[in-house]
């Protein structure tokens, strides 16, 4: 061998010498370059088609989920009818226009309506036994209700789930019930067009003023006086003071003599209590401070209030033990309602009702009851779609109970509800059987009314009976409306299930072993799919001629999905001889199937769904034990020792990860939360900061050790893992230290300064992770180094001494380079987790590395077990990073880690990265199962990567299909909206995220890996 010559050969060891045939002429070089160019073009074209195929799978899943969701999430028909002042539902001759009211004499000229977001009822009543921070601080409501029962009353105020602010405001202003389609638009802020109390106020030429939460302006655009209104951004849950201080600055001046005549109804929506709950949890000094602030403000309002102004204070929902909301637990739905008037206006029907209820389980009123109550007190028509009833304490009178007045207001409300029920039945085409009991109650109530109007009922008992009859009618009608709006669109649900089922069959067909390179089959598949999609869409569009009520877009989308599925099926059938080979199922293959199917079947049980994290722990532990047993059977001693070591390490890491828990309500009292400082806060314990520093110190070193075992700690790996990755993790630890310092007031600098420092630091870390990290991955050379050394011994006289060339890192050239992409995303997602969550993702990275070694020592790169175990790890660490399949566990604060305000699309992206970070990391790691410790010239890797990715997607596809089917089958189950529906929505969201990241990041990123390696080793 001549000095300086480069020769290629079969090198399978990390330090093996290169041998082979030397290139002999420039013509050979040109031919080789041309072959390389053609191979590169072919690879890039084929890779692009593979990515396109995965995007088609994403399209199928999205369409299937859309159709099922359309039929599953409840909807109601919104009627556009408006109540009119001059057209009362009942003729009450002696009250036609007395006192300036429409249907009933008004009692107040003005109103101040205060919403204290997330004001839970137990925040307002005394508590003696071991009080917490939220007890005995906001005392003015209970004090006035006790000391001035004719001027004030305090009651539990029960919200209808979902307990999110936007939906609660809809109920509080329209008197209607929410549906899950409304919940799906919780943050879109679509304007309310149906009849509502603000529309009635505006129709009555009242001037409305708003202060605080800007959600009101999304719902009621143009309703408020622009000169007096001051709205503030509502989404930054870390900001406890801006909104409340802004309201305080303008609220009391509006009651000054020079301004009080310029408005009629004032709405003030405080957010500090809600934000304190989200940031710290209810049992925190910050909550006590906010409740104390609210108490002081309300006392000032009481002092300056005049006799003709009604003061209403309410919570739109409560909060759970961690300060979150969105679900239907008792703590989330139990808000408070307080009404106050300087003049004696209120009363109680019984002496024992003078004291406010001790708990929210007694004498509660529904939030929809506020609408008819306020409407009649202010002399307005009751909004047409209202389903609530007047609140008894507001109309029974301050002295002797005024049963006639109570009967009249309930009759007016009942008649309005009856008009709505008649119109709704006609619009929906409901048969009489559906409302027969309601009609019976109505006839009984109206009979009492006729007798009362003509003077046939004069005793107190008669008046009470009239009141009770209309109240019973309202309750029964509300029950019927709930059942009517719980009607599911079965055809749409079945369409969605059908598409998801056939999509799953398509993924299974692609994921099965075949005698050909799976990537080579993609062009034929896409050709048939490309024909089927427009053909199916065209046929579906033309079918509208025969089914005129069909929505065109839905019909075309469904036809396109079915056409593509048919084309895909035909392509597989035509190539069935090479597309599938015999089962040859091994223990590992059966294990992958059992893990997937047993979990999907279990979702039919509510207890199984509740304890899903424990089931996943069992599956992962079982894999670790079986892997250890299998490693003992290895013939090669090195493989046996490595297999045992990594199997036991995997098992130990899984067990350590299990100690991080966020318990859901249904798991109590058999579960203890450890993710946060306690079960009643959303902040991390001080000691948990150590986890972030341990991750910053140890994780880069451990990753470095895996690289060094294959001599791969070379080139970009040294810079990225040894420096940038380590510095990024240290910056993340510093970020959370500053956050904890801000929470605990450790430092003398202001919160604003600390906030700016944290935001800038977070932006730098994210730029390093997704900017510098991605750039490093795209442009980096393989993690190898060439060593040239002379051969021992003497050479022939006059000839150069022969030399050998060693390529360090050759044995893991694919895996070591691709891992750079994984580590970049790992850095960014660790920042977006609390310290405990970051620690769990560090353990996840180590589990993935151990899994890769297990796969290598047991020769499982072609088995389905690797991708399936990665999916199990992703699902397991979803729970270990402080999440549950419940809306309340979403960590909304993450949207402000790197931003001061909500910014689209960045804020939602940050929330997705936090919520599904574990699944995102595991799907990015899927190609490593195939690439780990593979030589550069191995053929068929693109097909192997595609098959592994499809197997990974199969797992989530099965879980999504199972949760979809069980949610549909159990649609009348008592726990549907508490357990099965949230699990279905979680499964659907995870599947779409995995599809997207798998196609664009994992499979898409593999292209850069191959290009970089083949530029060195040839195509």
């Amino acid at each position: 061998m001549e000095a300086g010559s480069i020769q290629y050969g079969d090198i399978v060891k990390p330090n093996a010498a290169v041998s082979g045939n030397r290139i002999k002429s420039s013509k050979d070089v040109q031919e080789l370059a041309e072959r390389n160019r053609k191979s590169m073009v072919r690879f890039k074209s084929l890779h692009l088609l593979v990515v396109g195929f995965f995007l088609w799978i994403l399209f199928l899943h999205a369409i299937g989920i859309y159709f099922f969701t359309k039929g599953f999430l409840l909807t109601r028909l919104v009627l556009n009818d408006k109540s009119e002042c001059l057209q009362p539902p009942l003729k009450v001759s002696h009250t036609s226009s007395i006192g300036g009211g429409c249907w009933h004499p008004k009692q107040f000229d003005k109103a101040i309506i205060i919403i204290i977001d997330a004001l839970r009822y137990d925040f307002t009543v005394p508590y003696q036994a071991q009080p917490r921070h939220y007890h005995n601080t906001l005392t003015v409501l209970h004090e006035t209700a006790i000391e001035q029962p004719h001027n004030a009353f305090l009651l539990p105020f029960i919200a209808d789930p979902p307990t999110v602010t936007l939906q609660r405001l809809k109920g509080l202003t329209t008197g209607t019930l929410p549906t899950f389609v409304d919940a799906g638009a919780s943050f879109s802020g679509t304007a309310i067009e149906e009849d509502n109390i603000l529309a009635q106020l505006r129709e009555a030429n009242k001037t409305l003023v708003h202060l605080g939460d800007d959600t009101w302006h999304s719902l009621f655009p143009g309703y408020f006086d622009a000169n007096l209104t001051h709205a503030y951004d509502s989404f930054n849950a870390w900001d406890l003071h801006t909104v409340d201080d802004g309201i305080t600055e303008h609220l009391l001046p509006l009651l000054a003599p020079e301004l009080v005549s310029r408005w009629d109804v004032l709405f003030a929506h405080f957010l500090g209590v809600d934000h304190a709950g989200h940031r710290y949890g209810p049992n925190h000094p910050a909550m006590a401070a906010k409740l104390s602030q609210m108490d002081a403000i309300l006392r000032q309002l009481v002092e300056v209030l005049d006799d003709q102004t009604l003061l209403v204070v309410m919570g739109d929902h409560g909060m759970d033990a961690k300060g979150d909301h969105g679900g239907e637990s008792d703590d989330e739905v139990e808000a408070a309602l307080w009404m106050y008037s300087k003049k004696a206006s209120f009363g109680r029907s019984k002496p024992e009702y003078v004291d406010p209820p001790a708990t929210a389980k007694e004498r509660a009123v529904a939030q929809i009851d506020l609408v008819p109550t306020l409407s009649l007190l202010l002399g307005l028509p009751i909004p047409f779609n209202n389903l609530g009833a007047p609140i008894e304490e507001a109309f029974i009178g301050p002295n002797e109970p005024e049963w006639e007045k109570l009967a009249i207001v309930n009759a007016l409300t009942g008649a309005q509800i009856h008009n709505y029920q008649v119109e709704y039945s006609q619009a929906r085409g409901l048969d009489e059987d559906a409302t027969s009991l309601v009609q019976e109650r109505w006839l009984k109530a109206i009979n009492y009314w006729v007798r009362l109007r003509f003077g046939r009922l004069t005793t107190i008992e008669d008046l009470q009976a009239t009141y009770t009859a209309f109240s019973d009618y309202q309750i029964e009608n509300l029950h019927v409306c709930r059942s009517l709006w719980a009607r599911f669109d079965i055809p749409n649900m079945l369409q969605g299930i059908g598409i998801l089922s056939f999509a799953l069959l398509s993924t299974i067909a692609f994921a099965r072993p075949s005698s050909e390179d799976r990537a080579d089959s993609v062009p034929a598949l896409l050709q048939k799919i490309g024909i089927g999609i427009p053909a199916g869409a065209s046929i579906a569009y033309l079918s509208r001629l025969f089914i005129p009520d069909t929505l065109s877009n839905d019909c075309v989308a469904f036809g396109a999905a079915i056409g593509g599925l048919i084309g895909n099926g035909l392509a597989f059938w035509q190539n069935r001889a090479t597309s599938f080979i015999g089962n040859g199922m091994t223990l590992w293959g059966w294990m992958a199937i059992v893990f997937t199917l047993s979990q999907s079947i279990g979702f039919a049980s509510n207890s199984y769904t509740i304890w899903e994290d424990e089931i996943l722990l069992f599956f992962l532990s079982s894999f670790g034990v079986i892997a250890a047993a299998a490693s003992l059977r290895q013939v090669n001693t090195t493989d046996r020792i490595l297999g045992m070591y990594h199997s036991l390490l995997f098992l130990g890491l899984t067990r350590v990860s299990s100690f991080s828990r966020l318990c859901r309500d249904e798991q109590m009292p058999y579960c203890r939360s450890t993710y946060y400082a306690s079960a009643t806060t959303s902040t991390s314990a001080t000691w948990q900061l150590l986890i972030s520093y341990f991750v910053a110190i140890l994780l880069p070193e451990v990753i470095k050790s895996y690289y060094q075992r294959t001599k791969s700690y070379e080139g970009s790996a040294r810079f990225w893992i040894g420096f940038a990755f380590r510095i990024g993790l240290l910056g993340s630890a510093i970020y959370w230290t500053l956050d904890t310092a801000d929470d605990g007031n450790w430092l003398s600098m202001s919160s604003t300064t600390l906030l700016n420092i944290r935001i800038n630091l977070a932006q730098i870390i994210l730029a390093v992770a997704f900017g510098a990290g991605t750039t490093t991955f795209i442009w980096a050379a393989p993690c190898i180094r060439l060593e040239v050394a002379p051969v021992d011994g003497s050479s022939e006289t006059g000839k150069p001494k022969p030399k050998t060339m060693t390529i360090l890192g050759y044995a893991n050239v694919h895996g070591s380079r691709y891992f750079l992409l994984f580590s970049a995303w790992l850095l960014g997602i660790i920042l977006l987790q609390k310290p405990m969550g970051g620690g769990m993702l560090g353990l996840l990275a180590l589990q993935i590395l151990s899994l890769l070694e297990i796969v290598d020592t047991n020769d499982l790169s072609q088995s389905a077990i690797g991708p399936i175990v990665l999916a199990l790890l992703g699902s397991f660490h979803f729970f270990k990073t402080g999440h549950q399949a419940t809306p309340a566990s979403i960590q909304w604060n993450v949207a402000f880690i790197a931003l001061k305000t909500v910014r689209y699309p960045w804020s939602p992206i940050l929330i997705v990265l936090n919520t599904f970070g574990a699944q995102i990391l595991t799907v990015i790691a899927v190609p490593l199962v195939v690439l780990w410790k593979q030589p550069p010239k191995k053929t068929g890797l693109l097909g192997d990567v595609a098959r592994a990715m499809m197997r990974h997607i199969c797992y989530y596809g099965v879980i999504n299909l199972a949760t979809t089917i069980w949610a549909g089958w159990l649609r009348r189950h008592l726990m549907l909206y508490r357990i099965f529906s949230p699990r279905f929505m979680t499964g659907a969201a995870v599947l779409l995220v995995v599809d997207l990241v798998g196609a664009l990041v994992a499979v898409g990123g593999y292209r850069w890996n191959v290009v970089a390696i083949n530029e060195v080793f040839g195509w």
Side-chain angles (χ1 to χ4, degrees):
M1 182 185 302
E2 294 184 6
S5 64
I6 299 177
Q7 300 176 340
Y8 295 89
D10 257 341
I11 304 172
V12 295
K13 300 293 183 181
N15 57 349
V18 177
S19 63
N21 296 319
R22 182 183 174 192
I23 299 173
K24 297 180 179 179
S25 67
S26 59
K27 182 178 179 182
D28 293 335
V29 173
Q30 293 174 356
E31 290 178 353
L32 178 60
E34 181 63 19
R35 287 199 302 269
N36 283 339
R37 189 190 65 80
K38 291 181 178 179
S39 297
M40 180 180 66
V41 171
R42 180 184 181 279
F43 167 79
K44 290 183 176 180
S45 301
L46 189 58
H47 173 269
L48 190 62
L49 294 177
V50 170
V51 172
F53 185 80
F54 278 95
L55 291 176
W56 176 70
I57 294 295
L58 168 62
F59 166 76
L60 289 180
H61 288 153
I63 293 297
I65 291 169
Y66 166 74
F67 274 98
F68 180 84
T69 303
K70 181 184 172 186
F72 178 71
L73 297 186
L74 309 180
T75 60
R76 64 180 174 88
L77 177 65
V78 175
L79 301 182
N80 294 322
D81 302 65
K82 309 287 184 183
S83 294
E84 300 290 342
C85 184
L86 299 179
Q87 297 179 1
L90 286 177
K91 292 190 179 298
V92 187
S93 57
H94 64 286
T95 64
S96 58
S97 60
I98 295 176
C102 281
W103 299 356
H104 187 266
K106 69 176 180 179
Q107 293 181 229
F108 299 97
D109 295 328
K110 293 176 174 287
I112 301 175
I113 300 171
I114 306 290
I115 298 92
I116 301 178
D117 208 289
L119 180 64
R120 207 167 71 191
Y121 183 73
D122 60 336
F123 293 0
T124 66
V125 292
Y127 189 85
Q128 303 302 327
Q130 297 181 341
R132 298 184 174 181
H133 288 289
Y134 52 82
H135 286 136
N136 306 329
T137 303
L138 178 55
T139 59
V140 63
L141 310 184
H142 191 269
E143 285 177 9
T144 52
I146 291 286
E147 298 170 1
Q148 307 173 52
H150 301 323
N151 302 87
F153 63 85
L154 173 64
L155 292 172
F157 199 40
I158 306 303
D160 291 293
T163 49
V164 291
T165 294
L166 187 143
Q167 301 314 315
R168 291 295 76 244
L169 293 183
K170 288 184 177 181
L172 289 168
T173 55
T174 64
T176 58
L177 300 175
T179 67
F180 266 85
V181 166
D182 288 333
S186 295
F187 302 98
S188 63
T190 304
I192 295 177
E193 297 181 357
E194 62 184 302
D195 200 8
N196 62 82
I197 192 168
L198 276 80
Q200 292 293 342
L201 285 167
R202 190 168 67 167
E203 185 69 21
N205 295 317
K206 302 295 183 182
T207 300
L208 310 182
V209 173
H210 169 260
L211 304 174
D213 185 348
D214 61 354
T215 304
W216 288 80
H217 294 264
S218 300
L219 299 176
F220 306 103
Y223 276 60
F224 303 106
D225 185 285
N227 296 320
L228 301 177
T229 291
H230 300 275
Y232 303 89
D233 178 56
S234 61
F235 280 104
N236 190 351
W238 281 10
D239 184 353
L240 276 60
H241 306 296
T242 299
V243 177
D244 291 4
D245 291 348
I247 296 173
T248 305
E249 177 186 354
H250 297 99
L251 179 58
L252 291 175
L254 285 171
L255 300 179
E258 61 271 17
L259 290 178
V260 72
S261 61
R262 294 177 56 185
W263 58 268
D264 297 296
V265 178
L266 190 157
F267 297 88
H269 192 148
F270 290 90
L271 292 174
V273 171
D274 178 69
H275 288 185
H278 283 301
R279 183 169 181 179
Y280 302 109
N283 191 26
H284 190 276
M287 180 62 75
K290 294 309 299 184
L291 291 173
S292 178
Q293 180 187 13
M294 295 299 101
D295 187 81
I297 292 171
L298 294 177
R299 291 182 186 276
Q300 294 178 62
L301 282 175
V302 168
E303 288 295 323
V304 300
L305 206 67
D306 61 42
D307 290 349
Q308 290 303 313
T309 302
L310 170 68
L311 177 60
V312 181
V313 176
M314 72 185 88
D316 56 341
H317 50 74
M319 64 175 67
D320 64 15
K322 302 187 306 300
D324 298 321
H325 56 87
E328 56 178 331
S329 67
D330 289 347
D331 283 345
E332 292 171 273
V333 302
E334 293 172 352
L337 172 68
W338 179 75
M339 287 192 179
Y340 176 83
S341 168
K342 273 291 180 67
K343 64 182 180 182
S345 302
F346 308 131
R348 312 291 188 274
S349 59
K350 296 179 181 179
E352 57 267 30
Y353 286 176
V354 171
D355 290 352
T359 70
K361 304 296 187 293
E362 309 166 44
R363 294 163 47 205
V365 297
Q367 289 196 350
I368 58 175
D369 294 346
L370 179 70
V371 172
T373 302
L374 279 181
S375 297
L376 295 174
L377 289 176
L378 296 175
L380 301 170
I382 300 172
F384 187 80
N385 294 337
N386 166 71
L387 297 173
I391 297 172
E392 181 180 280
E393 284 78 357
F395 296 97
I396 202 164
N399 299 310
E400 291 297 321
E402 299 179 21
W403 292 107
E404 182 178 7
K405 180 180 180 182
L406 200 59
I408 291 173
V409 295
N410 275 272
L412 286 169
T413 305
Q416 166 265 315
I417 292 174
H418 177 68
N419 289 345
Y420 169 77
Q421 188 262 336
V422 170
E423 292 296 324
Y424 191 89
S425 297
Q426 292 176 353
R428 278 293 195 192
L430 302 178
D431 55 36
E432 294 183 359
D433 293 339
T435 58
S436 58
L437 184 56
V438 175
Q439 291 301 321
E440 181 181 325
R441 295 282 174 89
W442 169 251
L443 291 175
K444 178 181 177 180
I446 201 66
N447 181 52
Y448 271 106
W449 172 255
V450 171
R451 294 163 63 191
L452 173 65
R453 187 182 178 196
F454 288 98
R456 299 174 188 174
L457 301 178
T458 57
T459 66
I460 291 178
E461 290 75 14
D462 292 336
L463 296 173
Q464 289 177 332
T466 304
Y467 161 55
T468 302
F470 280 104
S471 179
D472 290 345
Y473 166 73
Q474 184 268 340
I475 293 171
E476 181 59 32
N477 184 80
L478 187 61
H479 173 73
V480 170
C481 286
R482 290 184 191 274
S483 64
L484 289 175
W485 295 341
R487 291 189 173 184
F488 301 88
D489 188 340
I490 303 299
N492 270 320
M493 292 168 63
L494 291 176
Q495 283 180 307
I497 291 173
I499 292 175
L500 291 174
S501 300
F502 284 109
L504 179 61
L505 291 176
S506 296
T507 59
I508 292 173
F510 191 92
R512 282 176 56 87
S514 64
S515 59
E516 65 175 353
D517 185 343
R518 181 54 79 195
D520 290 337
S521 66
V522 170
L525 295 176
L526 287 180
Q527 183 181 28
K528 293 292 191 296
I529 293 170
I531 296 173
I533 288 177
S538 300
I539 293 172
Y541 184 80
L542 293 175
S543 69
R544 294 177 63 251
L545 299 175
F546 307 98
I547 313 176
D549 293 333
T550 305
L551 294 176
S552 58
N553 292 337
D554 290 356
C555 191
V556 169
F558 181 77
I562 295 300
L565 283 166
I566 293 173
N568 183 67
L570 288 174
F572 270 116
W573 178 256
Q574 290 174 358
N575 296 282
R576 60 189 179 277
T578 56
S579 293
F580 309 110
I581 59 176
N583 285 331
M585 290 293 291
T586 64
L587 170 66
W588 302 105
W590 283 114
M591 194 189 309
I593 293 174
V594 169
F595 285 164
T596 303
L597 292 182
S598 59
Q599 187 178 3
S600 63
I601 294 170
F603 286 121
S605 165
N606 57 345
S607 58
Y608 183 101
T609 306
I610 290 169
W611 293 97
E612 183 181 355
D613 55 339
E614 294 297 308
I615 305 299
L616 291 166
L617 173 62
F618 171 75
F619 286 159
L620 290 170
S621 300
S622 299
F623 169 77
V625 171
I626 294 173
S631 297
L632 289 174
R633 301 179 60 186
Q634 295 294 324
V635 176
N636 185 283
T637 302
T638 302
D639 287 345
R640 184 164 60 250
I641 294 173
L642 280 176
M644 273 295 297
Y645 167 75
H646 287 290
S647 298
L648 295 177
L649 179 60
F650 182 90
L651 196 58
L653 293 171
T654 301
R655 178 56 60 180
V656 172
S657 300
S658 69
F659 291 111
S660 174
R661 307 189 69 178
L662 179 69
C663 305
R664 56 188 294 165
D665 292 339
E666 296 84 359
Q667 292 177 322
M668 306 303 290
Y670 307 106
C671 177
R672 186 172 71 88
S673 292
T674 59
Y675 187 78
Y676 296 111
S678 70
T680 60
T681 183
S682 296
T683 58
S684 299
T686 304
W687 68 266
Q688 290 176 335
L689 292 175
L690 295 175
I691 297 175
S692 298
Y693 287 97
F694 280 129
V695 169
I697 295 170
L698 298 178
L699 184 58
E701 288 298 319
V702 176
I703 293 175
K704 174 183 174 181
S705 70
Y706 278 87
Y707 271 71
Q708 288 177 330
R709 291 172 193 172
T710 56
K711 311 292 185 184
S712 301
Y713 194 63
E714 304 292 344
S716 296
R718 287 182 177 273
F719 166 77
W720 176 252
I721 296 172
F723 178 73
F725 184 65
R726 188 191 305 274
I727 295 299
L729 291 176
L730 181 61
S732 177
I734 294 173
Y735 174 92
W736 287 110
T737 302
L738 293 174
D739 179 73
T740 305
D742 190 16
D743 291 344
N745 296 317
W746 296 353
L747 304 176
S748 58
M749 65 179 65
S750 67
S751 293
T752 302
T753 302
L754 282 173
L755 176 63
N756 291 330
I757 294 173
R758 292 202 312 270
I759 289 177
N760 290 329
L761 180 59
Q763 291 175 351
I764 291 172
I765 296 171
L766 292 175
V768 169
F770 298 114
T774 302
T775 302
T776 299
F777 171 73
I778 290 175
W779 297 107
C783 301
I784 59 174
R785 181 164 61 90
L786 302 181
E787 281 190 352
V788 180
V791 177
D792 293 337
S794 60
S795 62
E796 297 181 18
T797 304
K799 292 185 177 181
K801 193 173 182 178
K803 296 180 180 180
T804 61
M805 182 178 67
T806 303
I807 305 179
L808 301 178
Y810 184 94
N812 195 22
V813 65
H814 281 286
S816 61
R817 191 187 184 284
Y818 184 86
F819 194 84
L820 298 177
L821 176 64
F822 173 84
S823 62
W825 282 74
L826 175 64
L827 172 60
I829 293 176
I830 282 179
L831 170 68
L832 301 178
Q833 307 291 334
K834 295 280 188 176
M836 180 68 85
M840 293 305 103
L841 292 184
L843 293 179
L844 170 62
L846 301 184
Q847 286 177 286
I848 290 173
L849 288 168
S850 291
L851 173 64
L852 297 177
E853 294 293 340
I854 294 170
V855 168
D856 176 61
T857 56
N858 289 275
D859 194 22
L860 298 174
S861 63
Q862 300 300 312
S863 172
I865 192 63
I868 297 302
V869 172
L870 280 174
L872 292 174
L873 283 172
S875 299
F876 179 66
H877 283 275
F878 168 80
F879 297 101
K880 301 302 109 180
T881 52
H883 300 96
Q884 286 281 352
T886 58
S889 71
I890 299 175
Q891 299 170 23
W892 300 107
N893 293 349
V894 174
F896 305 100
I897 283 182
L899 301 168
K900 288 185 178 180
T901 60
V902 174
R903 295 179 61 183
Y904 294 95
W906 309 115
S907 297
I909 288 175
L910 293 179
I911 293 173
V912 169
L913 291 174
N914 167 271
T915 305
F916 305 118
Q919 289 98 333
I920 290 171
L921 289 174
T922 50
V923 72
I924 293 174
V926 168
L928 286 169
V929 173
V930 174
L931 302 177
W932 197 251
K933 294 188 178 179
Q934 296 295 341
K937 301 293 287 184
K938 183 175 180 179
T939 59
L941 281 180
L942 177 59
D944 292 342
V945 167
R947 181 184 288 109
M949 183 59 65
M950 197 62 78
R951 288 169 172 172
H952 189 78
I953 290 174
C954 275
Y955 169 86
Y956 290 109
V958 170
I959 297 302
N960 174 64
L961 180 61
T963 55
T964 300
I965 291 174
W966 291 128
W969 181 259
L970 300 171
R971 60 189 180 277
R972 299 297 179 186
H973 196 283
L974 182 63
M975 291 292 181
L976 175 65
Y977 297 117
R978 192 160 186 163
I979 295 175
F980 298 110
S981 179
R983 187 60 187 87
F984 148 69
M985 289 187 283
T986 301
V990 169
L991 178 61
L992 296 178
V993 169
V994 167
D995 281 343
L996 185 62
V997 175
L1000 299 182
V1001 180
V1003 177
Y1006 172 70
R1007 164 185 175 148
W1008 303 106
N1009 215 58
V1010 172
V1011 170
I1013 291 170
N1014 287 352
E1015 282 181 353
V1016 174
F1017 291 95
W1019 291 84

